[in-house]
Amino acid sequence: MPLIAALRPTAARAVASRNISFRRLQSSYAAHNPYLKDFVYKDTVRVKDGALTLSKDEHSMIDRFIRVNQAGETAAVSIYQGQMAILGNRGDIELKKLLEHMREQEVVHLEIMDKHIVDFRVRPTILQPVAAVGGYILGATSALLGVKSAMTCTEAVETRIGMHYNDQLRDLHELKYPQLDELKQSIAKCRDEELEHLDSAVDHGSQMAPLHKLQFELIKGGCGVAIWLCERI
């Protein structure tokens, strides 16, 4: 309880900043993207290369993919913020650079997904604040258990997210619309960089953490539940 109380103000600021940034992004895209003006989102998706007509199932699938991806990248940014809050000032320059590098890549991923949210007019999940706060608490808690446990957290999260992005790419591969090429490329980029984070975590001793298997499976399973919920809510 003391840990959660200590983290609550920082996490709350992160959520507030995140929500403000997203509203600004929406306003900016609405002002500059002619396809969004007076747009009714049914089974025709307006993207920058022109109108795209999808079946209801295709439309629903893309909706779910972008919604959950935005939430996932929100959580990822917060995880690294939480880890940096605990481990960033311990004098380990290499570790600090690694965490900063992974966080910066996650920020870019989130910006990409924010753009797709607006371009495809997807409703964000109502669990977005939960993703931000939960990610921060997970990152900070894993870091409090030690560097190797923090790396186990990264290993577990990135393993599940890599699988998740691969599943999406397989489904999107069946859709041959050229207007979806940018979305496919974005997901592939995020997938590849998440797997780089996985490799870095293993290289930094994730599998030598105490109770590694238990920590790994709990976090990986939790990510699976979060994915299921954020796709639908």
Side-chain angles (χ1 to χ4, degrees):
M1 291 301 293
L3 170 64
I4 294 175
L7 294 178
R8 190 174 290 129
T10 303
R13 286 194 296 271
V15 172
S17 174
R18 172 84 191 91
N19 290 342
I20 291 170
S21 297
F22 182 63
R23 285 196 296 270
R24 287 174 178 168
L25 181 73
Q26 285 181 310
S27 298
S28 174
Y29 270 83
H32 296 95
N33 191 334
Y35 294 114
L36 300 183
K37 184 178 181 181
D38 300 325
F39 176 54
V40 177
Y41 189 25
K42 294 183 179 178
D43 292 331
T44 298
V45 178
R46 305 289 182 90
V47 293
K48 68 179 184 179
D49 296 322
L52 171 61
T53 301
L54 301 170
S55 71
K56 289 185 178 180
D57 287 343
E58 291 169 343
H59 177 184
S60 176
M61 180 180 73
I62 291 173
D63 225 39
R64 292 196 316 272
F65 285 1
I66 297 174
R67 178 181 304 112
V68 70
N69 291 352
Q70 186 197 38
E73 298 300 347
T74 297
V77 171
S78 295
I79 286 172
Y80 289 117
Q81 286 175 332
Q83 291 184 346
M84 288 174 62
I86 304 301
L87 300 175
N89 298 313
R90 291 194 175 183
D92 189 332
I93 302 301
E94 180 184 355
L95 176 62
K96 183 177 181 180
K97 286 183 178 179
L98 174 64
L99 294 175
E100 287 176 342
H101 170 68
M102 292 192 291
R103 179 189 173 278
E104 287 168 1
Q105 287 189 316
E106 300 294 0
V107 168
V108 173
H109 297 174
L110 180 53
E111 291 171 350
I112 290 170
M113 295 307 164
D114 282 347
K115 179 179 183 298
H116 289 316
I117 280 276
V118 176
D119 282 348
F120 287 89
R121 296 302 295 270
V122 174
R123 174 188 60 78
T125 174
I126 64 173
L127 298 177
Q128 191 81 346
V130 178
V133 175
Y136 190 94
I137 292 173
L138 174 60
T141 303
S142 67
L144 285 169
L145 296 175
V147 174
K148 290 182 174 60
S149 288
M151 292 297 115
T152 297
C153 174
T154 297
E155 179 194 6
V157 169
E158 303 299 21
T159 296
R160 186 63 186 86
I161 298 308
M163 295 166 56
H164 168 70
Y165 279 143
N166 272 332
D167 290 342
Q168 288 189 354
L169 287 168
R170 277 193 291 270
D171 289 338
L172 287 171
H173 181 70
E174 301 299 318
L175 306 184
K176 304 302 182 182
Y177 309 111
Q179 296 95 328
L180 297 178
D181 286 350
E182 182 181 355
L183 176 61
K184 296 175 186 178
Q185 292 164 6
S186 296
I187 292 175
K189 168 186 169 63
C190 293
R191 186 269 320 271
D192 292 346
E193 291 180 354
E194 306 295 2
L195 294 179
E196 288 176 10
H197 299 175
L198 167 58
D199 291 340
S200 295
V202 173
D203 290 343
H204 284 77
S206 67
Q207 297 180 354
M208 293 186 288
L211 301 174
H212 168 266
K213 184 68 174 176
L214 177 62
Q215 291 189 62
F216 179 88
E217 293 298 339
L218 283 175
I219 296 171
K220 180 169 168 282
C223 288
V225 172
I227 287 170
W228 189 91
L229 290 171
C230 290
E231 282 182 335
R232 291 163 174 79
I233 298 178

